Amino acid sequence: KQEVTQIPAALSVPEGENLVLNCSFTDSAIYNLQWFRQDPGKGLTSLLLIQSSQREQTSGRLNASLDKSSGRSTLYIAASQPGDSATYLCAVSARFGAGTRLTVKP
Amino acid sequence: KAGVTQTPRYLIKTRGQQVTLSCSPISGHRSVSWYQQTPGQGLQFLFEYFSETQRNKGNFPGRFSGRQFSNSRSEMNVSTLELGDSALYLCASSLRTGEKGYTFGSGTRLTVV
């Protein structure tokens, strides 16, 4: 059974900082890994999808990497903005981590 | 291209009642997954359907059930509602079992009183 862990649980940074969110999973036999963003009381918005054959994906200020052998993924956010404040969730084989609650202070 | 549609958006039910939630996936998607989200437990996987068959199931009691129709639309049913069933229920669709990732609906907020 796939177990997904996200560290840290919460993160508060000043605007403009670069930051890294971590996701680890126990079963390396995966189709893909997907990062989502969730604003309070809302649904999930897909940020990046990394297929199992890929090492990373980039979209604007976001970059996600995947290392299947070690069971890890990182989401890198460059030049953070207050609008980035949200909970970030990692999904592997339909299983989710508990998320990282990010607060970017102006 | 229409997204994932969940109805209703909000629902208030009394303990002991039953409820049915609906999810229409993106056109062409044949897999539908259901999740329960609560502040204390986070996103918990309920079950996944593909081609009208349940493919995966999470650790929820038998009061939680679902089905998928030939047009890929899915329904989730909760019987004998308990206060602890109050949650945001999210539905996600994918081409087939996670292929090309998941797209989520806005959810149904269920309150049990």
Side-chain angles (χ1 to χ4, degrees), chain B residues 8 11 18 37 51 69 95 100 108 110:
Chain B
L11 207 48
Q18 73 163 16
Q37 188 175 37
S51 292
F69 302 96
L95 280 170
K100 304 297 184 186
T108 294
L110 172 65

Side-chain angles (χ1 to χ4, degrees), chain B residues 18-66:
Chain B
Q18 73 163 16
V19 67
T20 299
L21 311 182
S22 177
C23 174
S24 293
I26 289 174
S27 178
H29 283 194
R30 296 170 61 193
S31 174
V32 174
S33 302
W34 288 91
Y35 295 84
Q36 181 196 65
Q37 188 175 37
T38 58
Q41 297 296 318
L43 261 171
Q44 300 291 312
F45 174 75
L46 281 156
F47 28 66
E48 180 172 20
Y49 285 86
F50 176 74
S51 292
E52 303 177 63
T53 302
Q54 188 179 90
R55 297 302 175 111
N56 290 295
K57 190 176 189 304
N59 295 323
F60 277 81
R63 300 185 297 108
F64 291 81
S65 63

Side-chain angles (χ1 to χ4, degrees), chain A residues 1 31-32 34 36 38 41-44 46 49 51 89 93-97, chain B residues 35 37 43 45 48 57 59 88 90 97-102 104-106 109:
Chain A
K1 177 187 166 187
Y31 284 118
N32 51 51
Q34 195 167 2
F36 292 88
Q38 186 177 31
K42 302 293 177 72
L44 276 66
S46 179
L49 171 69
Q51 299 293 346
L89 294 146
S93 300
R95 300 302 195 269
F96 281 80
Chain B
Y35 295 84
Q37 188 175 37
L43 261 171
F45 174 75
E48 180 172 20
K57 190 176 189 304
N59 295 323
L88 179 65
L90 291 163
T97 316
E99 184 179 328
K100 304 297 184 186
Y102 294 89
F104 278 79
S106 298
R109 172 75 63 184

